[in-house]
Amino acid sequence: MKFRLLIPSMLLMATMAAAQQTSLQRAATETTPQPQYTQPAAPPVTAQPNTIAIPMFDVDPATLLPISRQPNAVKGAIYADPAANPAERTLDLLRRMTYEEKVDMTGGWNKFLTHAVDRLGIRPVSMSDAGQGVRLSSAIIHTKSTSFPSMIALAATWDPTLADDYGKALGEECRALGVDILLGPGANMQRLSVGGRNFEYWGEDPFLSSEMARQYVIGLQGQGVIAVPKCIIGYDQEFVRHIASSNIDERTMREIYLPIWEAVIKDAKAEGLMTGNNLINGLSTFMDRGLINGIMRGEYGFMGMAMTDWQNSSYFPAMQQYVLTSGVSLMMPVNATLKAYIDGQAALSPVRKAEVEELVEKMVFYTLYPMFKFGIFDRPSNAPEYFKTFEAHKKVAREVGAEAITLLKNDKNVLPIPVGKKVLLVGEPEIQGGTGSGEVEGYDHVSFADGLAKVYGPNFSYNTKIDEEQVRKADVVLFSLAKKGAEGEDIPFDGPAGQLDNLRKVAKLNHNVVVLLSGANGLPTDWLKDVRGLLWCYFLGQERGSALADVVSGKVSPSGKLPFTIERSFADSPAPQFNYIGGKPYWGGNNEYRSVWLGLKPVPADDHFWQYVKPGQVVPVNYDEGIFIGYRWFDKKGLPVVFPFGSGLSYTTFAYKSIAVRNAMASDGAVYVDVTLANTGKVDAKEVVQLYVHEVNATVERPQKELKAFAKVFLKAGESKTVTLKLDSRSFSWWDVSTHGWKMNPGEFRLMAGGSSDNLPLTSSVVLK
Ligand code: BGC
């Protein structure tokens, strides 16, 4: 075959031009996209077996040698030379690969690895899931990995330096465990409080999400491990996730759902990404040329591997022609559906074969290039010396946990609890992490009970059952309330019913009840008035008990702030009926519908779901609330909430003293805002200073406030500090659909600073020209 030189920038220009009809433009021209999302019925015979059944074979990491020690590597070849330019190495390797080897390289091998090219001494490369640490079941070495706090907990710290430490620690674990590609972080938004994977995301605000995720990726990739933020884009709920089309308009996409991608791809230079199982405005994300080639590669400069989520390709067997040109590069875990299409095309004529081969080369380039760039083929697959770093990771996990825990109620200063008090822990065992691909087992777990027992000694007792006498006699009752988070299903707001009943009962027996809530989803809070305290604990991983004890005992003053809003009831949310099928909610999203949808099984006659969803038909999820998710929504509707975004108490008190604004937009493109605050209490503590912006005379509807800067500061008791927060033109801009660009209007902007989105005592304004 005649090899055609791949020149990446030309390739980008070509694909950008070809990306004329982007999902955004489709959105822009279709106001309310409705049932035209009917796909052609899939031909049953070409449908692939359910990928979940593919077994993971053992791979001996000791055999995964660097190129320099591979007997089949071509001596003197550019691709085998660690000193050569990574793009040239990739091109050199591509030139030497056969048609079959290239086609193989468009798919994964053995569930969580890339294909080897044995003939040329190229080893398979291992990847692993990364919900809150390295998921051992997807790694090639199964010794141990730390279960860190989940992403949502990391977000609650509001501390990008902790996100950096966290990413670095993950990178070190990857190096020990032979993982070269980490399938994280989650980069979706909390659109609704019931999203099953909310625990893997960073909450409801694009700015907070971006600041944290960016730093995680930088920390991780600093260890030579490829980050794969996932799952692009609008995969914010689990509801029939493989056949649901998130219908999102252009402005909303740019202002709410894309910023985190800009942060991880453009700023942090993540070398990988994963497409979502879902569709966007009617097109499956892995076929979306406008999104992958247009925005990610064209606008954000992404040159890395774009892999599919694990079921993508098997749902759309009849549409494979779009895959070859979308900018996606790797079908995970297998490329069987695509390969059948490619081979079929190649058999048509030599000309067609050359055409598809060229497209395949482009895909393979993007997969291999970052591996050369990170020197992955030049190192052995695992570096056991990194196991030495694990002990220090426990500290990172504990610190993140303690800084995440969010104190939402503390009547009569029930917390901290002095040593010597009689403390009783009751209720469900706390949950350390969410389930699904984000599940991380962890080791050396310190449960809530272990951590508290260590501090309170014989005065501490733990009982999962409610013994009335014991509850009455305790000085303080800590009630563990655990609400699961899970991939493949959304989590109904109303629950967990049994536990809530127990809580109501306990609150009647003792006045000093503090609820310890493990979870990442909304829930009814009618019990709140009957308890003294509430600590939102998210999923804190293996060091959860130590982190909790640090906060409960007062060793650490809580400084976590909610990265989402807790609404009064799900009826208040922007889309309470997002998952209604024929008037009934449907909570599943784990392939339950797959066989029937693909025509592999007959439609069950009496099934409610199948009365409304036809095989091959896509289910619309219309993001009609637009840019108004989270606090933007509740502000707009004037709906009171239980706990606002950004809220969280401390054991001390802070006074926000003054705000001063320096408008240097003309000279250095920035507005500087000095906020002075004082720790007016008796306890050293950290506070998150938050700055929100509102455009006074907007030309389009804009939110009442939007977070645009924040800083976490430590103040000793009695100390005052001035924090300088920086705003740039983006902080004031909105996405103009008529020009398809950011626009900053001249005029007045209100600036509001404080410690919670509902408590912003300092206000000022700036006039921009
Ligand atoms: C999940 C991905 C995950 C993959 C591999 C999919 O079901 O959506 O987040 O990386 O499985 O485990």
Side-chain angles (χ1 to χ4, degrees):
M1 145 319 310
K2 198 167 121 295
F3 182 75
R4 302 283 267 302
L5 243 202
L6 287 173
I7 303 169
S9 58
M10 281 177 59
L11 189 156
L12 286 181
M13 279 159 59
T15 46
M16 271 178 73
Q20 290 304 321
Q21 256 297 41
T22 67
S23 53
L24 296 184
Q25 285 160 346
R26 285 196 304 281
T29 51
E30 295 163 18
T31 37
T32 315
Q34 278 297 345
Q36 65 268 43
Y37 300 106
T38 309
Q39 302 288 344
V45 275
T46 58
Q48 295 307 312
N50 195 335
T51 50
I52 291 193
I54 297 169
M56 172 89 168
F57 305 106
D58 277 336
V59 177
D60 179 0
T63 63
L64 304 181
L65 302 169
I67 286 190
S68 58
R69 292 174 54 206
Q70 293 277 359
N72 290 348
V74 181
K75 296 271 167 306
I78 298 175
Y79 83 86
D81 176 6
N85 170 295
E88 278 170 21
R89 294 180 76 185
T90 313
L91 294 172
D92 184 50
L93 178 60
L94 268 168
R95 241 178 249 126
R96 295 165 191 271
M97 286 167 74
T98 64
Y99 166 84
E100 286 75 20
E101 286 164 344
K102 283 181 280 194
V103 173
D104 279 351
M105 197 58 92
T106 64
W109 173 73
N110 201 356
K111 210 166 175 186
F112 282 94
L113 287 111
T114 60
H115 264 274
V117 192
D118 224 11
R119 194 177 59 80
L120 297 170
I122 292 293
R123 68 170 176 86
V125 173
S126 136
M127 56 188 88
S128 171
D129 274 316
Q132 50 189 92
V134 179
R135 179 185 170 209
L136 281 185
S137 61
S138 54
I140 50 174
I141 297 174
H142 308 289
T143 37
K144 63 179 180 187
S145 72
T146 306
S147 174
F148 292 88
S150 57
M151 293 298 92
I152 194 70
L154 182 55
T157 68
W158 292 57
D159 187 346
T161 59
L162 282 179
D164 196 283
D165 295 347
Y166 187 113
K168 176 168 180 273
L170 279 185
E172 290 170 344
E173 301 215 350
C174 286
R175 296 301 300 275
L177 296 165
V179 171
D180 295 307
I181 302 168
L182 194 66
L183 308 179
N188 292 102
M189 297 302 297
Q190 174 163 332
R191 174 180 177 239
L192 299 169
S193 65
V194 297
R197 294 181 82 169
N198 284 358
F199 70 94
E200 292 186 63
Y201 308 147
W202 310 84
E204 69 188 29
D205 183 76
F207 184 79
L208 174 64
S209 303
S210 303
E211 293 299 295
M212 300 298 290
R214 179 191 295 121
Q215 223 44 56
Y216 167 120
V217 169
I218 291 172
L220 172 67
Q221 292 203 153
Q223 299 306 307
V225 175
I226 293 175
V228 180
K230 64 188 188 186
C231 297
I232 196 166
I233 195 171
Y235 170 36
D236 312 300
Q237 51 268 314
E238 297 300 282
F239 170 56
V240 293
R241 60 183 166 147
H242 313 91
I243 58 172
S245 175
S246 298
N247 296 325
I248 310 177
D249 67 70
E250 177 183 345
R251 180 175 169 210
T252 301
M253 194 80 106
R254 291 289 181 167
E255 292 189 24
I256 302 292
Y257 296 95
L258 275 169
I260 186 169
W261 289 96
E262 196 172 350
V264 293
I265 301 290
K266 190 172 163 188
D267 305 345
K269 308 210 177 330
E271 293 290 346
L273 67 78
M274 190 187 292
T275 58
N277 283 310
N278 58 300
L279 300 89
I280 288 288
N281 299 325
L283 185 61
S284 191
T285 54
F286 78 115
M287 300 176 185
D288 198 327
R289 185 161 53 177
L291 191 58
I292 307 171
N293 259 341
I295 297 178
M296 296 299 133
R297 298 198 188 281
E299 284 185 41
Y300 299 168
F302 178 60
M303 290 290 293
M305 58 176 71
M307 66 178 73
T308 65
D309 198 349
W310 261 235
Q311 286 90 21
N312 271 171
S313 58
S314 65
Y315 270 89
F316 298 95
M319 296 176 72
Q320 297 300 301
Q321 69 273 28
Y322 298 109
V323 180
L324 282 177
T325 51
S326 68
V328 78
S329 68
L330 182 62
M331 305 289 110
M332 288 306 294
V334 286
N335 65 351
T337 314
L338 179 66
K339 183 172 161 28
Y341 170 76
I342 293 173
D343 288 346
Q345 293 293 301
L348 293 178
S349 72
V351 173
R352 183 63 184 142
K353 183 175 179 196
E355 276 169 11
V356 289
E357 186 167 0
E358 195 181 330
L359 294 170
V360 165
E361 280 168 1
K362 289 176 184 170
M363 293 176 72
V364 175
F365 178 89
Y366 284 132
T367 297
L368 292 175
Y369 170 67
M371 303 208 244
F372 279 110
K373 193 170 165 189
F374 276 26
I376 287 171
F377 294 124
D378 304 322
R379 63 192 193 211
S381 96
N382 69 312
E385 65 273 18
Y386 277 96
F387 278 113
K388 287 201 295 273
T389 61
F390 280 38
E391 207 46 40
H393 299 166
K394 290 182 177 171
K395 271 213 205 121
V396 175
R398 180 175 182 163
E399 193 184 346
V400 170
E403 297 233 356
I405 292 173
T406 308
L407 176 63
L408 292 172
K409 182 168 184 180
N410 196 18
D411 280 5
K412 298 206 179 339
N413 291 330
V414 60
L415 293 169
I417 308 171
V419 173
K421 293 272 182 197
K422 219 192 268 171
V423 178
L424 171 67
L425 173 66
V426 292
E428 282 291 300
E430 72 280 4
I431 299 177
Q432 70 99 13
T435 60
S437 61
E439 198 162 342
V440 178
E441 252 174 25
Y443 67 102
D444 288 356
H445 281 265
V446 183
S447 67
F448 279 1
D450 295 339
L452 293 163
K454 212 163 161 196
V455 174
Y456 294 97
N459 288 330
F460 171 75
S461 38
Y462 174 44
N463 195 346
T464 46
K465 302 259 165 356
I466 293 159
D467 171 333
E468 295 198 2
E469 202 42 30
Q470 198 185 21
V471 169
R472 268 198 205 96
K473 285 192 173 147
D475 290 329
V476 184
V477 180
L478 300 175
F479 185 95
S480 167
L481 181 61
K483 185 157 184 169
K484 73 167 185 180
E487 177 186 339
E489 56 185 300
D490 291 311
I491 313 296
F493 189 88
D494 293 321
Q499 291 185 53
L500 292 174
D501 289 344
N502 284 341
L503 171 55
R504 291 178 192 113
K505 194 158 125 194
V506 167
K508 287 206 177 94
L509 299 169
N510 193 310
H511 292 308
N512 276 334
V513 174
V514 176
V515 173
L516 311 175
L517 207 158
S518 12
N521 295 98
L523 78 172
T525 42
D526 55 285
W527 43 268
L528 197 61
K529 58 185 183 330
D530 303 320
V531 301
R532 285 256 155 89
L534 169 59
L535 288 171
W536 199 291
C537 300
Y538 314 93
F539 300 139
L540 294 177
Q542 68 183 55
E543 284 293 322
R544 62 195 178 281
S546 309
L548 179 78
D550 286 347
V551 169
V552 168
S553 67
K555 186 174 163 206
V556 172
S557 174
S559 61
K561 301 274 181 176
L562 271 188
F564 46 71
T565 306
I566 303 294
E567 67 245 276
R568 293 175 310 179
S569 102
F570 193 54
D572 286 351
S573 89
Q577 301 191 346
F578 77 103
N579 60 351
Y580 274 43
I581 298 274
K584 272 171 61 175
Y586 181 88
W587 295 98
N590 216 10
N591 277 316
E592 302 92 342
Y593 35 76
R594 183 178 183 279
S595 305
V596 177
W597 195 83
L598 281 170
L600 300 171
K601 273 193 190 159
V603 176
D606 53 355
D607 188 295
H608 180 83
F609 183 84
W610 292 112
Q611 280 174 36
Y612 296 92
V613 178
K614 300 298 159 221
Q617 190 178 36
V618 168
V619 179
V621 179
N622 296 328
Y623 284 39
D624 288 335
E625 72 286 353
I627 60 170
F628 296 95
I629 63 165
Y631 63 90
R632 290 163 170 82
W633 171 260
F634 299 107
D635 280 354
K636 174 178 152 114
K637 295 285 165 185
L639 288 166
V641 300
V642 182
F643 294 111
F645 172 81
S647 60
L649 306 168
S650 167
Y651 294 155
T652 195
T653 45
F654 294 101
Y656 279 80
K657 299 279 190 194
S658 66
I659 183 167
V661 179
R662 199 153 39 91
N663 182 357
M665 192 58 89
S667 52
D668 53 352
V671 171
Y672 299 96
V673 183
D674 293 335
V675 174
T676 303
L677 75 160
N679 179 344
T680 48
K682 295 198 170 55
V683 179
D684 300 349
K686 289 183 181 174
E687 165 71 328
V688 179
V689 180
Q690 303 165 37
L691 181 64
Y692 295 78
V693 174
H694 170 71
E695 183 173 357
V696 176
N697 295 308
T699 48
V700 290
E701 190 183 11
R702 296 198 69 180
Q704 284 178 24
K705 59 177 177 289
E706 295 186 89
L707 180 74
K708 293 296 172 184
F710 64 87
K712 192 160 192 177
V713 273
F714 174 76
L715 290 109
K716 288 191 161 308
E719 192 183 5
S720 289
K721 268 188 187 162
T722 299
V723 185
T724 302
L725 299 160
K726 185 178 170 185
L727 301 170
D728 60 17
S729 63
R730 182 65 77 79
S731 318
F732 302 98
S733 300
W734 53 283
W735 184 264
D736 184 350
V737 294
S738 66
T739 58
H740 307 294
W742 292 103
K743 184 165 184 184
M744 187 177 80
N745 291 339
E748 185 186 350
F749 292 83
R750 192 159 48 241
L751 309 174
M752 297 155 274
S756 163
S757 70
D758 76 329
N759 186 9
L760 301 166
L762 300 178
T763 53
S764 184
S765 70
V766 62
V767 176
L768 298 174
K769 299 224 167 67

